[in-house]
Amino acid sequence: MTNPFAPAKLGPLTLRNRLIKCATFEGMTPDALVTDELINFHREHAAGGVAISTVAYCAVSPEGRTDRHQIWMRPEAVDGLRKLTGAIHAEGALAAAQLGHAGPVANSVSNRAKALGPGAIPAPMGMSLTQKLTVEDIADLRKKFATAAKIAVDSGFDALEVHCGHNYLISSFLSPLLNHRRDDYGGPIANRARLAREVLESVREAVGPDVAVWAKLNMYDGVGKPGPGRAAKPWRGFNVDDACETARLFEADGFIDAIEPTAGSSLLNPMYLFHGKAPRKEFAAAFSGIMRAGLKAGGPVFLKHYPYHDAYLMPLARELRKSVSLPVILLGGVTNRATMDRALDEGFDFVAMGRALLREPDLPLRIEADPETKSQCVHCNLCMPTIYSQTRCPIRTGEVPDPLAP
């Protein structure tokens, strides 16, 4: 049996264990620059025992942010990013930057720039339609990813996660529901995956072989049926059959060191990623005006309920695991030693943890010391709406009662 707490190789890196703190947007960069709050957030998680702490969300350009309060990778950000990576390294962990472009998930009003997409599709955060990327725009986008990757490495990051999920820009190109192009970037999956593959190539060329690079890849957008073996329908989103084929293309290209399978869509069905309770009232309260009204009215449709169980993304991730030899990082419902062991026994190489660490940043150390340790996360998802006001566990901060308290 593989020990999740033993050192492991990820591309060129040696990790102190097989636990990765996944990218969870921190909401701690009001001026699109690193703050002390962001540094302390990641320092605490690094001290808690993970091997890598992943900083989210590092946009490659101003219009690529979900809103103007997110970091975008530019020279002015470097000093703060170096302090951040230094704090992570001081706790014995490595630092990863999640690089991405929000595409149709971007708030064009907040960003004061048009949201981008494979064509003219709804961008609800800005109550607008996206602007279609031209082939020339795509070439420019590749340069933006390369520049952002260089800035990240110059800032001390050891690894890069390229965001190809959740119907952000790259993911929107992958989706047959959102991508109706008739050029080399639309149609069959090889074409819809072209943008992702070109971006990964540009990132690898920019950083060379000494940086670990992995792709966060959707397995299912939460639209239609997840598969496997589901016939293509014009109304369905990206599914696990598409994901397996895309992963095989990624592996053949040779630009990445691992894949982190994910699911759900920030545009269409966000709760499929999270599972557990759907905090509809709290999400509506985080907005104002028409967005608040829309979430109150459409909450049951947009924020669906999916029952939580440990390793809830494993059934889909198994299909991808079988499709490639690349290392695969299991995400979704990893909160205890038994699930870690099960994942590694089934051939996954690393596990990623998110919400449970918001409640208990030192959970990895406590699980290592006592394999019977139980996570205190109750899967209420009340942490999700806090991304607009500094991401946190409201139970941990005392904002809501602890249902496990005696």
Side-chain angles (χ1 to χ4, degrees):
M1 178 182 292
T2 302
N3 180 0
F5 293 97
K9 293 284 288 185
L10 175 53
L13 304 178
T14 299
L15 280 58
R16 63 183 177 186
N17 59 47
R18 295 178 182 269
L19 278 58
I20 296 172
K21 191 260 176 230
C22 68
T24 50
F25 181 59
E26 304 92 349
M28 298 174 184
T29 54
D31 298 317
L33 295 167
V34 171
T35 60
D36 289 343
E37 289 82 5
L38 184 66
I39 292 172
N40 290 334
F41 179 88
H42 283 280
R43 178 188 287 116
E44 187 175 32
H45 285 87
V50 293
I52 296 179
S53 192
T54 309
V55 179
Y57 165 85
C58 301
V60 300
S61 59
E63 85 287 345
R65 299 173 288 179
T66 59
D67 68 47
R68 68 178 182 274
H69 303 297
Q70 288 179 329
I71 293 175
W72 67 279
M73 303 300 274
R74 63 203 191 280
E76 294 87 345
V78 170
D79 284 348
L81 290 168
R82 284 177 176 165
K83 292 177 183 176
L84 173 56
T85 57
I88 293 171
H89 292 152
E91 299 295 346
L94 301 180
Q98 183 190 60
L99 300 181
H101 190 294
V105 183
N107 186 331
S108 57
V109 175
S110 177
N111 287 341
R112 302 180 180 93
K114 283 188 173 293
L116 305 178
I121 59 176
M125 290 295 291
M127 297 296 174
S128 63
L129 294 177
T130 58
Q131 177 177 295
K132 180 180 179 179
L133 266 75
T134 66
V135 173
E136 292 75 20
D137 292 333
I138 290 172
D140 186 54
L141 181 71
R142 293 183 64 177
K143 293 177 183 176
K144 290 176 178 177
F145 267 93
T147 299
K150 288 179 181 176
I151 289 172
V153 173
D154 289 344
S155 300
F157 284 98
D158 310 282
L160 303 173
E161 173 184 290
V162 178
H163 202 330
C164 304
H166 307 164
N167 286 158
Y168 283 46
L169 184 60
I170 293 175
S171 176
S172 70
F173 269 74
L174 289 168
S175 168
L177 180 66
L178 301 177
N179 181 355
H180 300 153
R181 297 174 71 107
R182 297 180 181 273
D183 62 3
D184 289 343
Y185 293 90
I189 186 59
N191 284 5
R192 287 184 277 121
R194 188 181 303 274
L195 175 62
R197 297 169 69 191
E198 289 180 347
V199 164
L200 293 171
E201 179 181 24
S202 296
V203 167
R204 177 55 77 190
E205 288 179 349
V207 302
D210 297 329
V211 177
V213 179
W214 70 82
K216 190 165 198 168
L217 178 65
N218 252 31
M219 298 179 290
Y220 173 50
D221 292 345
V223 181
K225 299 294 184 183
R230 305 292 182 180
K233 301 286 184 182
W235 45 263
R236 74 157 173 88
F238 194 71
N239 71 11
V240 74
D241 288 337
D242 295 326
C244 291
E245 180 59 27
T246 301
R248 287 190 286 266
L249 292 170
F250 286 177
E251 182 169 47
D253 290 339
F255 301 128
I256 60 174
D257 301 298
I259 295 177
E260 182 180 40
T262 186
S265 165
S266 298
L267 193 67
L268 302 169
N269 189 1
M271 288 306 302
Y272 195 85
L273 167 60
F274 296 100
H275 284 51
K277 295 180 181 178
R280 296 163 185 158
K281 180 179 68 174
E282 290 79 8
F283 252 116
F287 290 88
S288 60
I290 192 168
M291 281 296 295
R292 176 178 289 186
L295 283 168
K296 283 183 176 180
V301 175
F302 181 64
L303 297 171
K304 300 176 182 177
H305 172 69
Y306 294 97
Y308 176 88
H309 57 87
D310 289 347
Y312 54 84
L313 291 183
M314 188 181 281
L316 291 177
R318 281 194 192 105
E319 300 300 319
L320 193 144
R321 171 66 288 173
K322 291 186 291 187
S323 298
V324 294
S325 299
L326 276 170
V328 178
I329 304 164
L330 182 68
L331 170 71
V334 180
T335 66
N336 56 60
R337 178 64 187 264
T339 302
M340 295 174 188
D341 290 340
R342 176 183 165 203
L344 298 180
D345 286 348
E346 292 207 21
F348 295 95
D349 301 89
F350 301 90
V351 295
M353 304 176 73
R355 287 167 293 171
L357 298 183
L358 295 178
R359 179 72 190 271
E360 302 169 284
D362 65 343
L363 182 61
L365 285 179
R366 294 195 299 105
I367 292 175
E368 183 178 17
D370 178 5
E372 299 303 316
T373 297
K374 303 297 183 185
S375 168
Q376 297 298 300
C377 181
V378 297
H379 321 297
C380 63
N381 289 320
L382 291 175
C383 55
M384 291 172 59
T386 70
I387 65 172
Y388 307 104
S389 58
Q390 296 197 0
T391 302
R392 61 199 182 276
C393 170
I395 297 175
R396 184 186 181 203
T397 59
E399 295 167 79
V400 298
D402 182 354
L404 299 180

